[in-house]
């Protein structure tokens, strides 16, 4: 069964450094999403992406964040200058259409020191 | 705004006990409803879903029925196993393009032998 994959599974970085989290959505999916889950808290929406542009973003998704689909298979989330409070599990998701179920990847656990 | 409320955890049950995790939602319109499960150290997996009133989603012995009149989507399982120990998230999504999944806070379930 096709699945969303994410790399790396874990990343440790110093405050102020840039990180790029990578996702490979399911191959025939056209809609892509990032969510995050701070330890012990709710899963929160960050951004949705379709047709090479952001469709919707939350208030969390400020100028420090960006997303990109650099080729036909990858979908990336970049954090330009990480803060301690960016430490969280980041989930990528994809769906075939805007109305269909979103399938989530296994997550990248980011720790900012 | 749209939101999801779940019963507070953690929930601890003995193996073969009956499970109910309550979930209610607030939404403008008629959303699709989901239960996602997060096993220890893993990502989010779709457990079951229902897209319209009176639909019943089921998977792996779990069931939930979309009740429009009570705006609820309670998760049930007749006989839990140790392997069901996980965090369960109730979620909704409005049936418009690009829209995000809104998660409840999650309910932690521990099943003891």
């Amino acid at each position: 069964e096709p699945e969303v994959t994410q790399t790396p599974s874990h990343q440790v970085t110093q405050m102020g450094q840039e990180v790029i989290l990578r996702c490979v959505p399911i191959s025939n999916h056209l809609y892509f999403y990032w969510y995050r889950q701070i330890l012990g808290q709710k899963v929160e929406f960050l951004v949705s992406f379709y047709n090479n542009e952001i469709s919707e973003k939350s208030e969390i998704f400020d100028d420090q964040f960006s997303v990109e689909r650099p080729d036909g298979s990858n979908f990336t989330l970049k954090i330009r200058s990480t803060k301690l409070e960016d430490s969280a599990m980041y989930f990528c998701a994809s769906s075939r259409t805007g109305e269909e179920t979103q399938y989530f990847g296994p997550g990248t656990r980011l720790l900012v020191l | 705004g749209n939101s999801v409320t779940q019963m507070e955890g953690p929930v601890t049950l003995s193996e073969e006990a009956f499970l109910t995790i309550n979930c209610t939602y607030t939404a403008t319109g008629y959303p699709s409803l989901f239960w996602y499960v997060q096993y220890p150290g893993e990502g989010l997996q779709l457990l079951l879903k229902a897209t319209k009133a009176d639909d019943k989603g089921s998977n792996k012995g779990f069931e939930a029925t979309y009740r429009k009149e009570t705006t609820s989507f309670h998760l049930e399982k007749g006989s839990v196993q140790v392997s069901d120990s996980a965090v369960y998230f109730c979620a909704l999504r409005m049936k418009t393009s690009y829209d995000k999944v809104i998660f409840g806070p999650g309910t932690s379930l521990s099943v003891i032998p």
Side-chain angles (χ1 to χ4, degrees), chain A residues 4-58:
Chain A
V4 177
T5 60
Q6 290 185 242
T7 54
S9 58
H10 294 79
Q11 180 146 4
V12 181
T13 191
Q14 296 291 323
M15 192 169 56
Q17 294 297 303
E18 174 184 285
V19 295
I20 297 176
L21 310 183
R22 292 184 167 78
C23 168
V24 179
I26 294 173
S27 63
N28 64 344
H29 286 191
L30 300 176
Y31 294 76
F32 313 113
Y33 312 84
W34 283 101
Y35 293 77
R36 79 171 185 192
Q37 183 185 29
I38 294 172
L39 188 63
Q41 297 187 25
K42 193 183 290 195
V43 178
E44 303 171 289
F45 168 79
L46 292 178
V47 65
S48 58
F49 189 86
Y50 169 70
N51 200 28
N52 279 321
E53 57 184 32
I54 290 173
S55 311
E56 184 180 353
K57 59 183 181 179
S58 72

Side-chain angles (χ1 to χ4, degrees), chain A residues 31 33 35 37 40-45 48 50 55-56 89 91 95 97-107 109, chain B residues 3-4 32 34 36 38 41-46 49 87 89 93-106:
Chain A
Y31 294 76
Y33 312 84
Y35 293 77
Q37 183 185 29
Q41 297 187 25
K42 193 183 290 195
V43 178
E44 303 171 289
F45 168 79
S48 58
Y50 169 70
S55 311
E56 184 180 353
M89 178 77 93
F91 293 106
S95 61
T97 70
E99 290 79 26
E100 293 189 14
T101 299
Q102 293 178 22
Y103 291 89
F104 285 74
R109 187 171 296 283
Chain B
S3 65
V4 177
S32 295
F34 307 86
Y36 284 86
Q38 185 177 31
E42 298 187 15
L44 294 167
Q45 298 178 27
L46 178 66
K49 67 177 182 179
V87 180
F89 293 91
R93 186 182 186 203
M94 301 311 293
K95 294 171 192 167
T96 52
S97 292
Y98 319 134
D99 217 340
K100 54 190 175 286
V101 176
I102 296 170
F103 288 86

